[in-house]
Amino acid sequence: MEESFTPYDHVKFKELESFGLKNLVQMRTTFNVYLDLCEVRGWWNVKLHGCKDLDLAFISGHPTREEAREIILPLLSSDSISTHCLQQYLKKIKVDGYETHGITLAICDADTTTVYYKITEGLVTPEPPEVTEVKKVQRFEMIRKRQLNTQRAVQSYKTAKLKDSTPQEGEGANTEKDEGLNTGEDASVT
């Protein structure tokens, strides 16, 4: 009988447990956000971390190969968050060796819908419109490239599948002439 697999058996969930945190609900939320960042959003070099002072797990990673490391703090939409909590998050959630300018809250609902909300200490001037436009174009090109790669992979799979299901010459494939001989009928088509 085959064993069923649960998220608790996943190697990354076991890594979360190794941090010694007591907040199991937040660890499950962190695991779901981890999967979203890795599998859906395609982040690079994604790592899990624990903050014992706050009893919270968090994630760091790169949204693209070129972008700086960011910190993601998964929270539930039902969590009560005050300005004092936000100050504590900004002060205590750090990754050694990396300078970050704020953290991103991954606010998760019970149906796993996740909203990402970036917070910083103080005011941050927005990027100029030219930079924003370039990033939009780069993001669009990356998405389009992924779509084309997916379409090519599907087409390759279909071609290989078709080739596997088509009998090759000498493998028992019957021609119309052979069929006529086997049944004693004329195989010519009128």
Side-chain angles (χ1 to χ4, degrees), residues 19 24 32 37 97 99 145 152 189:
F19 297 140
L24 183 63
N32 288 337
L37 294 173
E99 179 68 29
K145 186 177 177 181
R152 283 189 204 111
V189 178

Side-chain angles (χ1 to χ4, degrees), residues 34-62:
Y34 175 86
L35 291 177
D36 181 57
L37 294 173
C38 293
E39 303 297 329
V40 178
R41 298 180 184 277
W43 278 42
W44 292 83
N45 198 18
V46 181
K47 296 183 180 180
L48 296 168
H49 308 273
C51 178
K52 287 194 177 197
D53 290 347
L54 299 173
D55 193 36
L56 294 172
F58 64 96
I59 303 165
S60 70
H62 301 269

Side-chain angles (χ1 to χ4, degrees), residues 21-189:
L21 305 174
K22 309 228 182 312
N23 191 340
L24 183 63
V25 173
Q26 199 268 338
M27 288 192 321
R28 280 190 299 228
T29 304
T30 301
F31 180 72
N32 288 337
V33 172
Y34 175 86
L35 291 177
D36 181 57
L37 294 173
C38 293
E39 303 297 329
V40 178
R41 298 180 184 277
W43 278 42
W44 292 83
N45 198 18
V46 181
K47 296 183 180 180
L48 296 168
H49 308 273
C51 178
K52 287 194 177 197
D53 290 347
L54 299 173
D55 193 36
L56 294 172
F58 64 96
I59 303 165
S60 70
H62 301 269
T64 66
R65 286 183 182 177
E66 296 81 27
E67 292 184 61
R69 180 170 291 278
E70 291 185 23
I71 294 175
I72 309 294
L73 175 61
L75 299 170
L76 289 175
S77 60
S78 59
D79 288 346
S80 177
I81 303 171
S82 66
T83 54
H84 176 72
C85 287
L86 294 176
Q87 288 289 345
Q88 291 298 308
Y89 298 157
L90 288 167
K91 183 175 158 187
K92 295 190 177 198
I93 295 179
K94 303 280 184 209
V95 176
D96 293 336
Y98 290 97
E99 179 68 29
T100 58
H101 303 286
I103 61 175
T104 301
L105 302 178
I107 303 170
C108 305
D109 201 20
D111 67 356
T112 70
T113 301
T114 305
V115 175
Y116 294 89
Y117 189 81
K118 185 157 184 117
I119 62 170
T120 58
E121 193 162 355
L123 296 175
V124 176
T125 55
E127 294 178 325
E130 303 83 36
V131 172
T132 304
E133 190 60 35
V134 167
K135 285 185 176 182
K136 283 181 189 175
V137 169
Q138 288 173 339
R139 174 75 95 220
F140 173 79
E141 288 172 354
M142 180 185 68
I143 291 170
R144 185 66 185 138
K145 186 177 177 181
R146 282 184 184 167
Q147 289 172 337
L148 290 172
N149 287 340
T150 302
Q151 289 172 352
R152 283 189 204 111
V154 167
Q155 188 58 42
S156 294
Y157 174 78
K158 286 180 178 178
T159 303
K161 193 74 170 163
L162 184 62
K163 190 182 273 187
D164 287 346
S165 66
T166 305
Q168 301 296 320
E169 189 175 320
E171 292 182 3
N174 292 335
T175 61
E176 288 181 29
K177 185 177 178 182
D178 290 341
E179 288 174 12
L181 292 174
N182 291 338
T183 60
E185 300 172 7
D186 186 11
S188 62
V189 178

